[in-house]
Amino acid sequence: MARALTRPGAIAAFLLAIMFLMMAASSWNNAATMDELAHIPAGYAYVYLRDYRLNPEHPPLAKALAALALVGEPLSFPTDVPSWRDEVNGQWEQGRIFLYESGNDADRIIRRMHVPMMLCAVFFGWLLWLWVRREFGATAANLTLFFFAFSPTVIAHSPLVTTDLAAAFAFFIGIIAYLAFLKRPTAINILIAGLAFGTAELLKFSLILLVPIYALLTVVWCTAQTNLGWPDRFLLFIRLAVKAVAIAIIALLLIWVVYAATVAGYPPDRQYHDAQTILSSFPSRSWAAIDLWLIERDYLRPLGQYFLGLTMVLQRASGGNTQYFGGEVTNVGFPSYFPILYLLKEPLAFHILTAIAAAFALRRVWRARASLGRLLGWIQEHFIEFASITFIGIYWVTSISSPLNIGVRHVLPTFPFVYALTARELVSWLRVWRTGEVTSWNEWLQRLYHIYVTTIPKYLLVGALILWQAASVVAAFPYYLSYYNELGGGVNEGYRVAVDSNYDWGQDLKRLRDYADEHGIRKIHVDYFGAGSPAYYLGDRAVEWHSSSGYPSDGGWLAISATFQMGAYGTTVKGFQRKPEDSYEWLKPFRPVARAGKSIFIYQLPAQPQIY
């Protein structure tokens, strides 16, 4: 065993195997999470009907890959229902019908579609390890992969048929391929960069952010070539810009090919009608007209469908959403939302390691007494680090300024680069000792002392923090969607910080069924947030309930999702109004007697409400 782990790649394979087991085991008994209700039927329609009428606001690739796991499954996908036949993008209702009302085994569909997503996460981890190993060495690569494999956020979202981990993978391949192109703008690297950029756009529409990032990196790369004069730097920029156009053309061709496959069965007149309806509320009429013009033409309608989705995302990003955060409820964004959730949703031990790495890096920068010339020289020699820091900064600024606050998952694309930079600096910190030629036995002994003695406390500290991170993640099993670190209250109290996909995304519905079975509950009022179906899992025992329904006349059992409860209990921010009947005032005197998993509170109410 010990000898096997010393082979190249053995540690990486071991970490990825553990990660896969944690993903598979923790998600096995989860119900469908909120966004999966739309993505699952859409993926099925893309692959088996080649029809893109569902979920056009997300690219097809991740959903289609997940749906490939259903090959050979005798499934019923009704197309004679209003959600498919009449509605424009009736994704939610179609998902409910497909999973729970068509005689299909919903759990089998969900579990099978999770497998390709988990395998993609493993491939992502392996690719990340290979890249860091090439750029920063084997030790940094192993440490980076550990951070990736033992991230509760990565473990929680990797199995899901959503676009969050796909976005992280897309940004990663898009950036590293473009960096390789800048270093060596050969034909093969242009092709790889074009395919990577196209794949990225097929995974997440927000990847359009790569365009300004590419432009900035190109400008800085040319500026940092201190071995060239300014005229030659300008000519280099022109040459790279021309080749970047080739990258864009390759990406566009790839997008056309994939979208052509997924709209082939989408009737052209229906596609035009759906797009026209969706674009009717878009403020730019000229843009809408161009998109409809594309859809009207047979060979261009795949691109028209792509630009329709991109338009929907741009429109969605400009609006906010109602969310609970830190005791308050509002429909506008909190600037502190993503920084606080990142601090509380990733392991505390990792944040301490990041702080050590950052302090070491800043100390080196301070001692270097950087000037413009030295800065350009450093960028030229360390362009990977510069590009990573630049991407992290741009993405975080964009996220913080957005009013769309629906989960730490939205900053997941920055995680791999944070892991890599932290690992690199930690390895450098552990290996700091005096260099130079040894001219005497005394200097040789001093060198040995610095290498093997003074570094021992550092290794012990880093080793202890790594073990702490691993232990905290293992201890949270299987509740990784509900994970908060020690500062955030852990898996039990994290709901007090933020809910939705940070804590309660509907994953615990089957655990509510198990609780009802174990306690012989014949009737339970349910206010559920998620993509599962209480009627499917609980049958006629489940009675749909809401705050506005009032206190149950006969008391009894009540289950309420944390998202709904905290949304009702939180203090409303000035300018946001909540209806009194939605505030669950009648429930506040009572305390839950149990939980289904961590995210569904279970109450046992007396037959008559007590007066307080």
Side-chain angles (χ1 to χ4, degrees):
M1 178 69 176
R3 180 178 295 178
L5 288 177
T6 62
R7 296 173 182 170
I11 293 177
F14 178 70
L15 289 172
L16 290 171
I18 293 176
M19 177 187 174
F20 184 84
L21 290 175
M22 288 193 292
M23 290 189 296
S26 63
S27 64
W28 181 259
N29 202 37
N30 283 353
T33 55
M34 180 60 80
D35 285 7
E36 289 183 296
L37 190 62
H39 291 187
I40 285 174
Y44 184 92
Y46 302 163
V47 174
Y48 302 102
L49 302 181
R50 302 179 73 183
D51 193 310
Y52 211 118
R53 74 184 66 190
L54 299 179
N55 199 232
E57 65 267 35
H58 291 287
L61 194 53
K63 293 170 285 183
L65 287 174
L68 290 175
L70 301 178
V71 170
E73 286 285 304
L75 299 175
S76 172
F77 189 89
T79 58
D80 58 348
V81 292
S83 56
W84 179 267
R85 186 185 62 240
D86 305 323
E87 295 179 17
V88 175
N89 190 20
Q91 52 188 348
W92 303 103
E93 181 67 10
Q94 187 69 18
R96 184 181 63 80
I97 293 172
F98 174 55
L99 286 174
Y100 307 117
E101 298 182 3
S102 301
N104 298 319
D105 185 336
D107 291 334
R108 183 174 177 84
I109 292 173
I110 294 164
R111 287 168 177 165
R112 290 195 66 155
M113 291 185 73
H114 281 178
V115 173
M117 306 304 288
M118 291 188 288
L119 293 176
C120 287
V122 170
F123 175 70
F124 183 9
W126 184 254
L127 193 63
L128 175 63
W129 181 83
L130 288 174
W131 179 72
V132 177
R133 185 171 182 261
R134 185 189 68 194
E135 300 296 339
F136 302 143
T139 304
N142 291 333
L143 191 53
T144 299
L145 186 57
F146 169 80
F147 294 146
F148 179 83
F150 281 83
S151 164
T153 308
V154 172
I155 295 171
H157 288 278
S158 291
L160 306 182
V161 187
T162 60
T163 57
D164 298 306
L165 193 84
F169 175 73
F171 269 112
F172 178 73
I173 62 171
I175 289 175
I176 67 170
Y178 195 77
L179 292 176
F181 157 73
L182 288 178
K183 288 185 175 181
R184 296 184 63 226
T186 59
I188 186 63
N189 282 343
I190 291 172
L191 176 62
I192 292 173
L195 294 175
F197 182 41
T199 301
E201 294 301 315
L202 289 167
L203 288 169
K204 190 77 171 179
F205 283 122
S206 61
L207 272 292
I208 199 69
L209 186 61
L210 282 174
V211 174
I213 291 174
Y214 285 170
L216 177 61
L217 292 180
T218 305
V219 171
V220 176
W221 171 261
C222 296
T223 304
Q225 303 306 304
T226 54
N227 56 313
L228 300 177
W230 286 107
D232 290 332
R233 297 183 205 184
F234 179 73
L235 290 175
L236 175 62
F237 173 80
I238 297 299
R239 289 195 295 270
L240 291 175
V242 171
K243 293 179 179 180
V245 172
I247 291 175
I249 292 173
I250 293 169
L252 201 61
L253 288 173
L254 179 61
I255 291 170
W256 184 92
V257 168
V258 174
Y259 268 85
T262 56
V263 301
Y266 192 2
D269 57 339
R270 177 60 191 266
Q271 182 186 1
Y272 185 88
H273 169 267
D274 291 349
Q276 188 178 45
T277 303
I278 292 169
L279 292 169
S280 63
S281 61
F282 192 67
S284 175
R285 303 316 305 155
S286 57
W287 176 269
I290 292 172
D291 195 34
L292 292 173
W293 182 86
L294 291 171
I295 290 174
E296 282 185 299
R297 282 142 184 85
D298 286 342
Y299 290 104
L300 295 178
R301 71 188 187 107
L303 294 181
Q305 189 69 14
Y306 167 76
F307 286 113
L308 172 66
L310 182 60
T311 301
M312 294 176 71
V313 168
L314 294 175
Q315 189 172 18
R316 169 72 170 124
S318 63
N321 60 286
T322 300
Q323 78 276 341
Y324 166 86
F325 176 60
E328 297 181 332
V329 180
T330 184
N331 60 348
V332 297
F334 294 94
S336 60
Y337 182 86
F338 287 112
I340 289 178
L341 282 172
Y342 174 70
L343 176 64
L344 300 181
K345 289 284 292 175
E346 282 291 281
L348 185 56
F350 171 70
H351 292 316
I352 296 174
L353 288 168
T354 302
I356 293 171
F360 175 69
L362 290 173
R363 187 181 66 174
R364 284 194 300 158
V365 170
W366 178 261
R367 288 181 174 179
R369 297 179 181 178
S371 62
L372 178 59
R374 288 183 177 181
L375 177 61
L376 291 177
W378 180 87
I379 291 174
Q380 184 179 17
E381 295 177 5
H382 301 85
F383 198 73
I384 297 294
E385 295 93 314
F386 170 80
S388 300
I389 294 169
T390 299
F391 166 65
I392 292 169
I394 292 174
Y395 198 92
W396 270 89
V397 168
T398 304
S399 300
I400 290 172
S401 60
S402 170
L404 200 60
N405 292 170
I406 53 177
V408 73
R409 59 193 173 94
H410 277 203
V411 292
L412 190 57
T414 63
F415 285 21
F417 295 97
V418 174
Y419 298 154
L421 291 175
T422 299
R424 182 195 183 285
E425 291 303 315
L426 285 173
V427 170
S428 297
W429 179 64
L430 289 171
R431 293 177 175 175
V432 169
W433 50 71
R434 294 178 181 176
T435 58
E437 185 179 354
V438 176
T439 59
S440 67
W441 280 101
N442 182 50
E443 290 181 359
W444 182 76
L445 291 172
Q446 289 181 0
R447 178 70 57 82
L448 290 178
Y449 175 78
H450 284 298
I451 294 175
Y452 295 106
V453 178
T454 61
T455 59
I456 289 177
K458 296 180 182 179
Y459 278 98
L460 291 176
L461 175 60
V462 171
L465 289 170
I466 288 174
L467 290 175
W468 177 13
Q469 176 169 342
S472 71
V473 172
V474 171
F477 179 87
Y479 306 114
Y480 293 119
L481 261 172
S482 300
Y483 178 91
Y484 278 82
N485 63 31
E486 295 81 353
L487 293 179
V491 294
N492 289 319
E493 301 297 323
Y495 68 91
R496 300 183 187 277
V497 180
V499 281
D500 203 290
S501 62
N502 298 300
Y503 194 86
D504 165 35
W505 223 13
Q507 72 273 13
D508 287 326
L509 181 60
K510 290 163 65 176
R511 297 182 178 96
L512 176 63
R513 176 204 59 191
D514 296 342
Y515 183 90
D517 291 344
E518 292 168 6
H519 291 79
I521 297 174
R522 296 182 179 181
K523 178 182 177 182
I524 183 167
H525 306 87
V526 180
D527 192 0
Y528 167 70
F529 175 81
S533 169
Y536 181 83
Y537 291 108
L538 290 158
D540 57 8
R541 292 179 294 175
V543 178
E544 185 177 348
W545 211 255
H546 306 287
S547 173
S548 58
S549 305
Y551 191 96
S553 59
D554 55 351
W557 294 93
L558 169 70
I560 175 173
S561 293
T563 296
F564 287 143
Q565 178 161 301
M566 301 314 293
Y569 285 6
T571 303
T572 56
V573 173
K574 184 178 179 181
F576 177 75
Q577 299 295 323
R578 179 177 56 212
K579 297 178 181 179
E581 61 267 27
D582 294 335
S583 63
Y584 267 109
E585 289 294 335
W586 53 267
L587 186 61
K588 290 181 180 179
F590 302 96
R591 296 291 176 268
V593 297
R595 290 196 212 177
K598 298 299 178 182
S599 67
I600 301 179
F601 299 111
I602 302 173
Y603 293 81
Q604 191 171 17
L605 303 174
Q608 295 295 328
Q610 302 178 29
I611 299 175
Y612 291 85

